[in-house]
Amino acid sequence: MKTLQLQLRFLIPLLVALVIAALVVLPLMDQLTLRWFSRDLNTRGTLVAGALADAIDDGVSSGSSARLQALFDRAARDERLVAIGLCSNDDVLVRHSANYPTSLKCLEAREIARRPDQRLELPTGAVHVGVHPASSERANAGTLVLLHDLSFVDRRSQDTRQYLIIFIIGLGFVISLITMVVAQLSWRGWVSGMRAILRGEGLVRPLLPPPELQPVVSEVRARLRDLEDEFRRSEGLVTQWNPERLRSLLHTQLRGDQVIVVSNREPYIHERGPNGIIAKRPASGLVTAVEPVMRACSGTWIAHGSGSADREVVDAGDRIGVPPQAPDYWLRRIWMTEQEEQGYYYGFANEGLWPLCHVAHVRPVFRESDWEAYRKINQRFADAVVQEARGEDPVVLVQDYHFALLPQMIAAQLPRATILAFWHIPWPNPESFGICPWRREILQGMLGATIIGFHTRFHCRNFIETVDRYLEARIEHEHSSISYQDKETLIESYPISIEWPTQQMSAVWPPASECRRRVFERLKLPVDTCLAVGVDRFDYTKGILERLRAVQSLLETHPDWRGRFVFVQVAAPTRSELDEYRTFRERIQRVSDRINQRFGNEHYQPIHLLVEHHERDALNELFRAANMCVVTSLHDGMNLVSKEFVAARDDEQGVLILSRFAGAARELTEALIVNPYHVEELADALHRAATMPEPEQRERMGALRMTVREYNVYRWAGRMLADAGRWRMRARIEARVQRYMQA
Ligand code: G6P
């Protein structure tokens, strides 16, 4: 566009110059040259006539027509003079040179000589007609008609015309160049001046707006910035990560190789209910994130079959195509006995590693029998990976703390597999990790992976320091890699996220006002209620108790909120077999009851505790109905609830209160970031969110939405798979180099 503008700026003046030259200058120049030459020829004619006058006089008076004829013929031999004729005083042609056109009568010659161009066209060419008195001192012998050749005039004016055209084109070029430069300079100057004014820099003195225009300029400036922001928010990135982009990355960088995911929790659980078998989605951040990736990549997902009807729906190979309505990938179920589950899942994973990695003041418990079960089940999953692998180098995505030993076990059987181990929970510092009796085995097991991923750089650093403390490994801090027993592993941070709702998805959502109406009706809330929500698994790491304390503090310090502030906590039951979880649940129930008794009445309950699993649509409705969402984890790898709340608020309203101990706080900086351990600070945040003006909510929510949309789960998977692709290419090159060296 810019080049076109430049070209036009250059071409237009040039064209104008040429048109002016063709229409005006050239004909004018022709006329002028002719006049100049006519004038010259007339002067010349007068001289010739003067020179011949005496001789003519003699010839006429002697009556010697032969002498006169010879005189005329001699004179007509002149290079320019074509012919010569003598007219008597009564205008009769009395004598003429040989090539004089006799059809040209004396009177006609006089007439032509009076015209400005004095031009006569003859069959032999154009001539100039001049009439001059042939008078001497002695007598008047008549008038001489001199015909001068005009072809040389034509030749000269053609030459002049050529020079003129060249000159005009040159001039046109110069003018065009000057125009272009001037236009460019003045446009830039104008634009930068305008920008400077709008930015309020006032750098260019003459462009400073007069003081009376200052408010208008400020207003325009603010509007422009708003529009710019709105545009960026609505447009998003041109190169947005989405399923197509992920698929194409798989095909280009991983040559469409098979992708196998391993996790403990399965993406669909088949349960037997009163109306037959239903497929449920579990409450798990891991599943929320990985499921859309699997839909995009196809492949196989290996997980524990934990549903009461899981065995009934699988084929002979323990496989079932999912999602149930339109299968995109295979779910391969692994079975375990209750005792195995007790040791591996409840015991080592959730009583040992979970509290070990979350600094949430619950002591980890490590039992030898749990460790044995953990190893056994990890081996079972490793064998399943080998069974499911179609080739010797699949891409295996190992998920979370249930499978610390799996990378090494897989690598032992499939040394060419690319293994990405993603740790979804925090990684503690070396001292805390040192509590684990099998710390070396866990680290060795993980280092079987090609890449180990965490949500944050902070957790990567903790992991590297832990390896440094407990293993004899070589650490390359610059490349963030660890070499252990001749095997190199990359340690990288990949912040996980959610699938950003597509337009088709959000188009069917009821409007936020309708969601609010339905939720308020269901919970019997007065319309002016300020609704805060919390959505979590019923887990002691989530800071639910801290929220309740903050609500209590708010109602104590701001009694005007009593009757008008309601906190709804959705708590999905989880790991209920474990004492810690049972006692935690009971405690939350007790504290909620106490607060309700103290501040509530028969029409008002400040706390609504909904201990049940909610499906995705129900959660979306709740998020859209709320004034705020409270995420107060005491320690959390990422926390996807915060991102789901943001994704649900396409009305750009609602406030997110977010714990600084959740990985999400590093990305979602426009939330109200809090320390959940500080009761008053959290209570203040509740009050601030409840009274936040709509424009501020819009600003914050708009920015949060932009972040979550851009840093979505396809980007998470895409970055990991791209790193894996690079790694595989490096391995292939190294293998080729080795071959050449051996050859
Ligand atoms: C966390 C873990 C996941 C786990 C989820 C639900 O998000 O990182 O691996 O699936 O909690 O816990 P559950 O024990 O019910 O699978």
Side-chain angles (χ1 to χ4, degrees), residues 19 83 237 280 433 474 544:
V19 170
L237 276 190
K280 284 197 341 199
F433 190 76
R474 190 160 50 85
I544 299 174

Side-chain angles (χ1 to χ4, degrees), residues 445-493:
M446 289 175 76
L447 288 175
T450 323
I451 301 177
I452 299 177
F454 295 93
H455 294 299
T456 65
R457 285 291 332 144
F458 179 64
H459 296 149
C460 291
R461 269 201 303 277
N462 278 351
F463 180 78
I464 293 174
E465 281 169 21
T466 310
V467 171
D468 200 17
R469 177 80 59 93
Y470 300 112
L471 293 182
E472 299 71 44
R474 190 160 50 85
I475 294 169
E476 293 245 20
H477 287 282
E478 205 179 318
H479 299 120
S480 193
S481 71
I482 298 176
S483 296
Y484 181 66
Q485 293 180 344
D486 290 337
K487 186 175 186 319
E488 196 182 358
T489 302
L490 180 71
I491 316 298
E492 232 346 313
S493 67

Side-chain angles (χ1 to χ4, degrees), residues 235-249:
E235 285 302 299
L237 276 190
V238 183
T239 51
Q240 197 96 49
W241 274 98
N242 53 27
E244 288 73 45
R245 190 164 167 202
L246 187 64
R247 265 193 290 270
S248 104
L249 179 136

